Amino acid sequence: MIPGVPIPAATVNLIGTVIAAVLTLCVFSYLLGIRALYRLALHILIGAGVAYAVIVALSTLYSRVWLRWIDASARGDMGLMGYLAFGVLLGVLLLFKISRRASGLGNISTGYLVGVGLGVAAGGALTGTLVTQSIATATFTGTSPAAFFIGLLGTLTVLISFTFTATWRRGPLKAVAQLVQGLSAAGRFFLYIALGTTFAGVYVASVSVLIGRVQFFIPLVASVLKYLGIE
Amino acid sequence: MTAASPEPKPSETHVVKKGLSLPTKPSGESPATGPAARARPTPPAPTPPPAQPATPGEADDWLSRLRGALPAEQPAEAQPPAGESVPDWLRDLEGEPSVPGAQAVTPVFDLAARLGGVEPSEPAPTPAEPEVPDWVARLGTPATTKPSAPIEPQVPDWLKPPAPAKLSAPAIPPVEPEAPDWLKPPSPAPTPAMEAEVPDWLKQPPPAPSEAEAPDWLSRLAPTPAITEPSAPAVSPAESEVPDWLTQLPSVPMAATPSAPAVLPVESEVPDWLSQLAPTPAAEEPSAPVESPDWLERLTPPTAIPSVPSEPEAVPSIESEAPDWLAQLSPLTVAPEPEVAPVAEPVEPGPALIGEQIPEPEETPAWLADMGGAQPAPSAPVLTEMPDWLKELETKPSPVQPESKAEPPSPFAEPVVLPTGETPAWLQELAPTEAAAPAAGVLAGAPMPPAPGEGGLVAAQLPSWLQGLGPKEPSAVAPPKVEEEPAETEGILAGVRGALPVAQIALQMSGVGISVSPEIPAGDLSRAGALQELLARGMTAVVRREGESRAGRMEGKVWRWIVLLLIAVAVVTPLVLGPDLSLVSAPSLSPMGNAMYDSIQKLAPGAQVLVAFDYDATQAPEMDVVARAVMRHLIARQAHIEVVSLYPTGPAVAQVMINNILPTTSTVKMDVTNRSYLPGQTTAVATLVTEARSKPLDMVIELAATPDSLRWWVEQMAGRPETLLAGVSASVEPVAQPYAANSQLKGLLAGVPGAVAYQLKLRGVLPQTEQQNPSDLLVPLNSIAVANVALVFVMIFGGVIQLLSGRGSPSGDGRRRG
């Protein structure tokens, strides 16, 4: 870690472990009402993550732009160089978002990013989720007719539950509104089931994270106790 | 005094004397007396002199002198009618006047007493003063500077004894049958018949010798004993009432004649002595200024003061009905001083007396207007002699806005131009000087009196306290500039300026802007504090229900602690107990898990596999278990693994996991390449899968802790030949199931339970040294199982309590039971 200073790996791991344990306890202090340590740990996490992200971004810029630019210039690949220059230009323009007056220049890069991203995402969502899932729902046969009926009913009612304009209270449309409201209620029932399932998964995931942290502390505590002579 | 029956014209020589009989004017002179004069309202009568027994000798002396002063050619109009008795005093006035120019006046009544509103007392003896009173002396006209020839007492009608019940002015006392002693003629005692005819008011004692008792103005106005009316008509003894001339004085406005004094209406009854005293309009010459009171002069703007004869009391012409002596009192008929410049220059009056109101020209009393002769029109700005203050009142509008703070036009702003004429000394003293006019500003100190020749008046030395009350010079003390205040535009005060300048007043009072600090209710403050706390702490902030009490908050904290402890015990206890606690059995791998296993198992050695570590350190405890299982299987299959990440911290997590996946003693080769972070999220996936590769990808395994990353890969890998497998978190499993069911995902491994099951199945592929004890693999499952049971128990128990108590529901609103 420190140039010229040989530090055993075990020591480094130990220091890392201790720091992690301390930060973990700081997070656990939230349960005791000690918000300051929790905030400290949270700020360290956010700060470290942002710093690491900046370093990664600079590293990526170096490896994916600068080195490639040098390689392209060495090979005389103007196309690649132009491609890289265009990317660099968009990145520089994006930096003008910092200034209030010159933020308009950054709108070029922002527009490019949003446009490309939206196009890719929209195409993927359309072809990867909406169409395929719709086809899959329509052609779902399942193992039994009941499963098929429940699946179809659930899908339709959930979609109908997102109808908020059927509020007619008079005339022939009143019956339509009542039908829509009934189906919406059934769709909300299926939604509640789906949300509950999601909650269960989140709970299991959270418990799993807790288990992992506890499993991290157990050897450490055992080591401390063994060091202190407490078996 | 009210006008009674019309009086005969002055052309008539026969004068019917009623009551007081004053010397008639000489021929050619217009009578100054007449109906107009009689109709003139009597001025406020000063205190009459006390009745003093007049010694016959003294009375006779001054009366005789009065008689002598009267011109001989007094018209016969002053002759009393046959049968009428001439008052003694009037008879006396027909004698030689002692003062040059003075005309004899027949003293037949106590003017002081009449004017003072006091009934004439017993006929007082003639005063002991040998000299003729000033007012009597001034009654003589300039033209009548003639040898005082004895004048036949001709009592004009207006001097005759008053007719019964003709009193119209309260100031005119009833005529007494007895004539004052001082008015009794010095010459032969009046005959009994004459005495009987002399009205009482004519028999009043003459002005008292002691000037202190009689008002000064009256004493100065009193005629000299020498002034006698040449043709003073005899007073009718039968009349004992208000003289006709007083009662018949009409309130006729006097015509403005710049060259003539205010003339009185013509009356045939004007005594000769009075007519003789009155100067003709055309024959008037500059004379000494009449000592008319200042207040009289200021009441009416002085028209061109005519040149009055040198006599101090220039009787107005006979054209008016007012007696000449009274006309002389008017500022319009004030004769200038002999040494004064022509009458066209009126003397500016001094500061007005305290409390004295300078009336508008139209407010001039009728009797005074009649006396004064020409009364200027209300709007006669062209008159040069009009006092400035009067001009301002007539012509000039108010220089400032009504709501301005400027001083109102002061009647003393401009000095009143006093007409030249014979003004009494006491009036001259009060007259303002030109140099010390109010236009010069606040009078400070004694003003310099103007030269005697200026304006015909000599300004009196005003005391300092009086000077300060004078009008101020507008130029010296300019009214403060008043900014026109905005007018109201709406409401009932629309158009009104300066109405309710609340904001201005508030600003002036405070000097700074108005600060408003409204009272904030305590509830709003608490809600604002809660919102601020929420924003500061984020979603971790505790949100309190409105209306929640301290006990309620404590109860919530207790329950939260109970749940926390229960779950903590449930999680920690199996971990502490280790594999000895066999709560759960080995789980079976799900179908999707089996498919994943089979897919990887089918990989040939050296297959190109792309593994995306799309999670960060916060999800590492769970995802590492899944990732370790998948990676270990790939390593066992000797595939070429490329590690990428769509998250910046993903490569670091992957490296840590890769470093610890194999034991240190393992001899298994691992072909793992960490390609680090790929920015762009969904575009990075699209770029990655479409890039040109030396070797195409055989398999893509997505390790996703969030639904988004899984969706990105699934959507971008749609229709591609690569096999897409996913190792997801337990929270992402519901989102991944549809994709797995639709065969978009060839395999799915979800959460720790799936990973444990996968590891148990992988034990057969791994070398013996790397195979772990299954019980050790089940320890996390024990904790998860116990934690799940605890959660279920808490949920059921809490739901039951909530249903029983009604709290937490939308209809409960925090109500408590029991």
Side-chain angles (χ1 to χ4, degrees):
Chain A
M1 289 175 56
I2 303 175
V5 178
I7 298 176
T11 304
V12 173
N13 292 335
L14 181 61
I15 294 173
T17 302
V18 173
I19 293 175
V22 171
L23 293 177
T24 302
L25 293 176
C26 293
V27 174
F28 286 161
S29 65
Y30 179 84
L31 301 174
L32 301 177
I34 303 174
R35 310 293 174 87
L37 295 177
Y38 167 76
R39 290 181 180 178
L40 175 63
L42 203 61
H43 293 165
I44 293 173
L45 174 63
I46 295 174
V50 172
Y52 185 83
V54 170
I55 295 173
V56 171
L58 294 175
S59 174
T60 302
L61 189 66
Y62 172 77
S63 60
R64 298 179 64 83
V65 175
W66 176 249
L67 293 179
R68 294 176 65 183
W69 173 273
I70 293 176
D71 183 59
S73 63
R75 290 187 289 105
D77 188 353
M78 301 304 295
L80 182 58
M81 294 176 63
Y83 174 76
L84 295 174
F86 178 75
V88 172
L89 177 62
L90 291 178
V92 172
L93 291 177
L94 194 59
L95 293 176
F96 285 96
K97 280 293 189 180
I98 299 175
S99 172
R100 184 180 299 178
R101 294 184 178 180
S103 61
L105 294 175
N107 292 338
I108 301 173
S109 302
T110 304
Y112 182 82
L113 289 173
V114 173
V116 172
L118 184 63
V120 173
L126 186 65
T127 59
T129 301
L130 184 61
V131 174
T132 54
Q133 291 294 323
S134 300
I135 293 173
T137 304
T139 58
F140 176 77
T141 55
T143 57
S144 64
F148 170 77
F149 178 77
I150 292 174
L152 181 60
L153 181 62
T155 303
L156 295 178
T157 54
V158 169
L159 293 174
I160 292 174
S161 67
F162 289 98
T163 303
F164 303 102
T165 58
T167 58
W168 308 289
R169 297 182 180 181
R170 299 177 183 177
L173 295 178
K174 181 179 180 179
V176 175
Q178 292 177 348
L179 177 63
V180 170
Q181 292 174 5
L183 294 175
S184 298
R188 284 193 291 273
F189 174 76
F190 287 100
L191 280 175
Y192 297 154
I193 296 175
L195 290 176
T197 305
T198 303
F199 172 74
V202 171
Y203 173 75
V204 172
S206 301
V207 171
S208 300
V209 172
L210 179 60
I211 292 171
R213 285 291 91 194
V214 172
Q215 287 181 333
F216 169 81
F217 269 100
I218 291 177
L220 181 63
V221 172
S223 301
V224 171
L225 293 176
K226 184 178 182 180
Y227 179 81
L228 295 177
I230 299 172
E231 295 286 347
Chain B
M1 287 179 285
T2 57
S5 59
E7 296 297 328
K9 296 183 179 179
S11 59
E12 300 180 3
T13 58
H14 177 69
V15 176
V16 179
K17 295 184 175 54
K18 299 180 181 178
L20 178 63
S21 173
L22 294 176
T24 57
K25 56 173 265 185
S27 57
E29 296 181 354
S30 57
T33 60
R38 297 198 188 96
R40 191 181 314 126
T42 57
T47 54
Q52 295 183 1
T55 58
E58 295 176 355
D60 296 341
D61 292 339
W62 74 272
L63 285 176
S64 62
R65 284 194 290 274
L66 285 177
R67 288 207 188 90
L70 292 175
E73 57 270 20
Q74 287 291 338
E77 58 186 354
Q79 292 291 341
E84 294 186 0
S85 61
V86 179
D88 298 338
W89 71 271
L90 191 60
R91 235 179 278 121
D92 294 339
L93 291 176
E94 298 172 359
E96 189 75 24
S98 62
V99 177
Q103 296 183 1
V105 178
T106 304
V108 295
F109 81 108
D110 186 2
L111 178 60
R114 301 302 176 187
L115 295 179
V118 177
E119 293 188 0
S121 58
E122 294 296 325
T126 56
E129 291 182 344
E131 56 190 23
V132 180
D134 297 339
W135 70 275
V136 177
R138 285 191 291 272
L139 288 177
T141 58
T144 57
T145 53
K146 296 176 181 157
S148 55
I151 304 171
E152 286 287 350
Q154 298 181 0
V155 181
D157 295 338
W158 60 277
L159 290 177
K160 291 180 182 178
K166 278 288 180 75
L167 271 177
S168 60
I172 305 301
V175 179
E176 295 292 336
E178 295 181 358
D181 296 339
W182 63 275
L183 291 177
K184 293 181 180 177
S187 54
T191 60
M194 293 173 63
E195 286 185 352
E197 295 181 354
V198 174
D200 295 340
W201 65 276
L202 292 175
K203 295 182 181 178
Q204 291 180 358
S210 58
E211 294 289 340
E213 297 181 353
D216 297 338
W217 68 274
L218 185 61
S219 62
R220 296 192 190 95
L221 292 175
T224 58
I227 298 175
T228 56
E229 186 181 2
S231 58
V235 178
S236 173
E239 299 184 357
S240 61
E241 301 177 2
V242 179
D244 292 342
W245 70 270
L246 292 178
T247 57
Q248 296 174 359
L249 287 175
S251 60
V252 175
M254 316 265 283
T257 55
S259 62
V263 296
L264 300 175
V266 178
E267 182 182 353
S268 59
E269 297 182 359
V270 176
D272 297 335
W273 67 268
L274 194 62
S275 60
Q276 292 174 1
L277 293 176
T280 57
E284 287 187 345
E285 298 172 1
S287 62
V290 179
E291 295 181 353
S292 60
D294 187 15
W295 62 273
L296 289 176
E297 297 170 352
R298 269 182 262 134
L299 285 177
T300 56
T303 55
I305 305 301
S307 301
V308 183
S310 59
E311 288 80 2
E313 290 122 3
V315 179
S317 65
I318 264 319
E319 296 176 6
S320 61
E321 295 181 319
D324 297 337
W325 66 270
L326 200 58
Q328 294 174 3
L329 299 180
S330 165
L332 299 176
T333 59
V334 173
E337 293 289 343
E339 60 277 15
V340 181
V343 71
E345 300 179 6
V347 177
E348 294 183 345
L353 299 178
I354 299 174
E356 184 172 356
Q357 295 288 340
I358 306 300
E360 296 289 345
E362 51 269 24
E363 299 180 355
T364 307
W367 67 271
L368 191 62
D370 296 338
M371 285 170 40
Q375 179 156 357
S379 59
V382 298
L383 299 176
T384 58
E385 297 177 356
M386 184 180 295
D388 298 338
W389 65 269
L390 196 59
K391 294 178 183 178
E392 292 178 359
L393 292 176
E394 289 181 352
T395 59
K396 296 180 182 179
S398 177
V400 294
Q401 295 296 331
E403 62 280 1
S404 66
K405 302 179 182 177
E407 299 177 354
S410 169
F412 312 111
E414 295 292 338
V416 177
V417 178
L418 294 177
T420 58
E422 294 183 354
T423 56
W426 64 274
L427 290 178
Q428 294 178 1
E429 295 174 0
L430 294 178
T433 60
E434 293 181 356
V442 179
L443 299 177
M448 294 299 295
E454 299 176 356
L457 293 176
V458 178
Q461 294 294 331
L462 297 176
S464 59
W465 63 270
L466 190 59
Q467 295 172 2
L469 298 177
K472 296 178 177 56
E473 172 63 34
S475 60
V477 184
K481 280 190 175 180
V482 178
E483 296 180 357
E484 193 168 290
E485 298 181 349
E488 296 293 332
T489 58
E490 58 184 6
I492 61 175
L493 298 178
V496 178
R497 295 184 181 278
L500 302 177
V502 180
Q504 297 180 2
I505 293 174
L507 289 176
Q508 292 175 359
M509 292 175 62
S510 63
V512 294
I514 300 176
S515 63
V516 179
S517 59
E519 292 291 335
I520 302 175
D524 293 344
L525 287 175
S526 63
R527 284 188 287 270
L531 179 61
Q532 184 178 3
E533 183 181 2
L534 180 63
L535 295 174
R537 298 184 178 182
M539 294 303 296
T540 58
V542 177
V543 179
R544 299 177 181 176
R545 293 184 190 179
E546 183 177 352
E548 191 174 359
S549 63
R550 180 181 179 85
R553 291 194 298 271
M554 286 301 298
E555 184 180 356
K557 284 187 177 179
V558 170
W559 282 110
R560 280 193 292 271
W561 274 101
I562 293 174
V563 172
L564 175 64
L565 289 176
L566 183 61
I567 294 176
V569 170
V571 170
V572 174
T573 302
L575 295 177
V576 172
L577 295 177
D580 298 335
L581 182 62
S582 298
L583 296 175
V584 295
S585 60
S588 60
L589 193 58
S590 63
M592 295 306 297
N594 286 321
M596 182 173 184
Y597 182 86
D598 297 335
S599 298
I600 295 176
Q601 190 64 28
K602 294 178 180 179
L603 288 175
Q608 302 295 320
V609 177
L610 183 63
V611 180
F613 282 78
D614 293 336
Y615 62 91
D616 54 8
T618 59
Q619 292 105 0
E622 181 187 13
M623 293 303 299
D624 282 349
V625 177
V626 176
R628 186 178 295 108
V630 171
M631 286 296 293
R632 186 65 185 87
H633 191 188
L634 291 173
I635 294 173
R637 300 302 303 160
Q638 298 178 356
H640 178 73
I641 303 171
E642 294 182 3
V643 177
V644 296
S645 179
L646 301 178
Y647 289 78
T649 59
V653 174
Q655 190 63 43
V656 171
M657 190 282 297
I658 292 172
N659 294 338
N660 296 323
I661 195 170
L662 295 175
T664 56
T665 60
S666 171
T667 59
V668 175
K669 290 184 181 180
M670 184 172 57
D671 183 8
V672 178
T673 304
N674 194 347
R675 295 184 60 177
S676 185
Y677 167 64
L678 296 178
Q681 298 177 350
T682 182
T683 53
V685 176
T687 305
L688 186 62
V689 298
T690 57
E691 66 179 356
R693 302 171 60 84
S694 57
K695 292 182 179 181
L697 285 175
D698 297 320
M699 182 178 290
V700 176
I701 299 175
E702 165 66 10
L703 300 175
T706 59
D708 295 334
S709 60
L710 178 65
R711 190 180 299 112
W712 299 336
W713 283 97
V714 172
E715 293 175 352
Q716 299 302 321
M717 291 291 295
R720 296 195 62 81
E722 294 88 353
T723 302
L724 179 59
L725 303 176
V728 297
S729 170
S731 60
V732 183
E733 183 180 3
V735 179
Q737 286 286 350
Y739 294 116
N742 195 28
S743 302
Q744 290 177 285
L745 290 175
K746 299 298 188 283
L748 178 61
L749 188 62
V752 172
V756 170
Y758 195 90
Q759 288 178 350
L760 290 172
K761 189 173 184 177
L762 188 63
R763 289 178 67 255
V765 178
L766 293 177
Q768 193 66 29
T769 59
E770 294 182 17
Q771 296 182 2
Q772 295 181 350
N773 187 353
S775 58
D776 294 338
L777 295 175
L778 296 178
V779 172
L781 293 182
N782 295 331
S783 296
I784 291 173
V786 175
N788 289 341
V789 172
L791 179 62
V792 171
F793 173 77
V794 169
M795 293 176 62
I796 295 173
F797 180 76
V800 169
I801 293 177
Q802 190 175 24
L803 289 174
L804 295 178
S805 63
R807 282 179 296 183
S809 62
S811 61
D813 296 335
R815 291 176 298 176
R816 294 188 178 182
R817 295 183 181 181

